[in-house]
Amino acid sequence: EALDKGLEKTKEGFFSKITKAVAGKSSVDDEVLDNLEEVLVTSDVGVTTTLKIIKRIEERVSKDKYVNTSELNFILRDEIQLLLSENNSNDFRQFEYGDHKPYVIMVVGVNGVGKTTTIGKLAHKLKESGLKVVLGAADTFRAAAVDQLKLWGQRVDVRVVAQPMGSDPAAVAFDTLQSAVANGEDVVIIDTAGRLHNKVGLMNELGKIKQVMQKVVPGAPHEILLVLDASTGQNAFEQCKQFTEATDVNALAITKLDGTAKGGVIIGISDQFKIPVKYIGVGEKIGDLQLFDKKEFVNSLFK
Ligand code: GDP
């Protein structure tokens, strides 16, 4: 399965470390817990979440007195599943059209994390499920970004609204929403610029785009999707912090899980930010986007 393949590296790293952590030990004692703590931290789960997991395992161990190391995987699996954000849908056709037509997704994230690719893949999935989709190229600062989005538009056969480089991103968003309404399209996905060097600037820019959207579609954007690259490990946490401070992110896409052993970021980010991980990227190809399902994730990780 694609998820198993995507998580291969994370899984390998994780389990070889756990095997080492319990080597020669039959019961879960302080030394095993110390080792496990190190495994989780080095798997990019993050310190806060790691300490939380260790504390819960400690509690279980002290209650049960003697916990065999062979049970550790089961316990860990339980604890991780508890921390992961709940996904309430396993269907790409999950939007409430009655209230939201068009359903508007504003995509944010720093350059290089896989924003454009995720937009292209998502457009493809939505289109496959019978929805009319339009993309808005509101990252008007990089010519490459607009070209890339257009290329994805051609590839998945979806309309792309763009203006010349340097245009006002809010104007692009406005045009996209207005034409979506006129065309009766179901979903609008707006790409935005990923500059993070100036938080006030970012906040103002995203704020302006949102305001303009609301003039056309009240309640838009319905989804502010932050794209994070799993392979950047702790940087993903920092980006999540910055973007959640700048705007009301309500969904996450975690990309490049296939190329990294740092899949543990999903656990830490879910726990610390309490924002649903909605999509995961497990490859560069058009079909390599999945709806995140915590049960599947944990099953795949512990298979
Ligand atoms: P943007 O600057 O955030 O728009 O990033 P792009 O969408 O251009 O992606 C940057 C690079 O990451 C490209 O080479 C993509 O093919 C690659 N990429 C994006 N998502 C994934 C993924 O899930 N897995 C892998 N392996 N590569 C990805």
Side-chain angles (χ1 to χ4, degrees):
E1 214 217 297
L3 183 62
D4 293 338
K5 213 167 151 23
L7 283 176
E8 225 164 64
K9 287 199 177 140
T10 295
K11 194 179 144 144
E12 269 170 28
F14 198 53
F15 286 107
S16 61
K17 283 183 205 158
I18 289 185
T19 307
K20 269 190 215 137
V22 299
K25 292 278 189 177
S26 58
S27 72
V28 176
D29 57 14
D30 286 350
E31 197 188 331
V32 169
L33 286 172
D34 280 351
N35 292 344
L36 182 62
E37 184 176 322
E38 203 185 316
V39 170
L40 293 171
V41 170
T42 55
S43 303
D44 285 272
V45 171
V47 175
T48 316
T49 303
T50 294
L51 293 179
K52 201 186 261 184
I53 295 173
I54 295 294
K55 185 157 169 271
R56 304 240 332 167
I57 296 180
E58 245 164 16
E59 283 164 11
R60 272 171 92 150
V61 170
S62 75
K63 229 193 303 169
D64 294 352
K65 294 284 181 288
Y66 186 89
V67 175
N68 204 292
T69 48
S70 61
E71 294 163 62
L72 195 60
N73 274 358
F74 294 104
I75 297 176
L76 199 54
R77 178 193 170 120
D78 273 4
E79 295 303 332
I80 287 174
Q81 188 155 329
L82 274 174
L83 294 177
L84 287 170
S85 69
E86 194 63 67
N87 188 34
N88 42 23
S89 176
N90 51 14
D91 183 359
F92 271 92
R93 251 202 103 108
Q94 58 195 308
F95 313 113
E96 298 164 42
Y97 303 102
D99 303 329
H100 308 307
K101 182 165 175 161
Y103 183 88
V104 180
I105 306 174
M106 178 167 93
V107 184
V108 302
V110 305
N111 295 334
V113 292
K115 235 178 335 150
T116 318
T117 308
T118 302
I119 292 172
K121 292 171 180 172
L122 181 58
H124 177 66
K125 291 278 187 193
L126 295 173
K127 199 180 167 216
E128 263 189 337
S129 59
L131 298 166
K132 283 210 262 176
V133 184
V134 58
L135 310 180
D139 180 355
T140 57
F141 294 85
R142 292 181 307 157
V146 178
D147 291 345
Q148 270 259 314
L149 199 69
K150 284 183 177 163
L151 210 64
W152 271 104
Q154 282 169 13
R155 199 175 293 162
V156 304
D157 190 23
V158 155
R159 196 167 72 85
V160 179
V161 175
Q163 285 179 8
M165 259 268 290
S167 309
D168 180 1
V172 177
F174 186 85
D175 273 8
T176 315
L177 264 63
Q178 218 173 31
S179 63
V181 170
N183 293 340
E185 281 150 340
D186 302 297
V187 185
V188 177
I189 310 177
I190 303 285
D191 188 17
T192 64
R195 298 165 306 160
L196 198 58
H197 57 261
N198 173 354
K199 198 156 98 195
V200 176
L202 178 75
M203 218 185 292
N204 289 340
E205 186 173 303
L206 296 176
K208 201 175 152 206
I209 295 177
K210 276 164 61 180
Q211 258 178 13
V212 160
M213 284 179 171
Q214 281 156 20
K215 284 190 192 152
V216 190
V217 178
H222 307 101
E223 186 168 317
I224 301 183
L225 177 67
L226 171 63
V227 182
L228 298 169
D229 174 347
S231 70
T232 65
Q234 294 307 298
N235 281 343
F237 283 76
E238 186 52 31
Q239 288 165 22
C240 196
K241 183 168 176 290
Q242 304 257 4
F243 274 94
T244 48
E245 282 168 12
T247 188
D248 10 319
V249 175
N250 60 3
L252 301 175
I254 314 258
T255 64
K256 308 190 197 180
L257 278 169
D258 53 303
T260 183
K262 295 174 187 287
V265 294
I266 291 197
I267 302 162
I269 284 185
S270 284
D271 173 44
Q272 282 171 50
F273 294 94
K274 311 279 184 241
I275 300 170
V277 177
K278 206 160 177 183
Y279 314 104
I280 52 175
V282 293
E284 294 187 277
K285 290 200 293 291
I286 207 166
D288 295 334
L289 184 76
Q290 302 192 351
L291 286 167
F292 178 70
D293 180 316
K294 71 171 177 178
K295 281 209 192 77
E296 278 177 15
F297 179 81
V298 174
N299 283 344
S300 181
L301 198 59
F302 285 90
K303 206 178 254 176

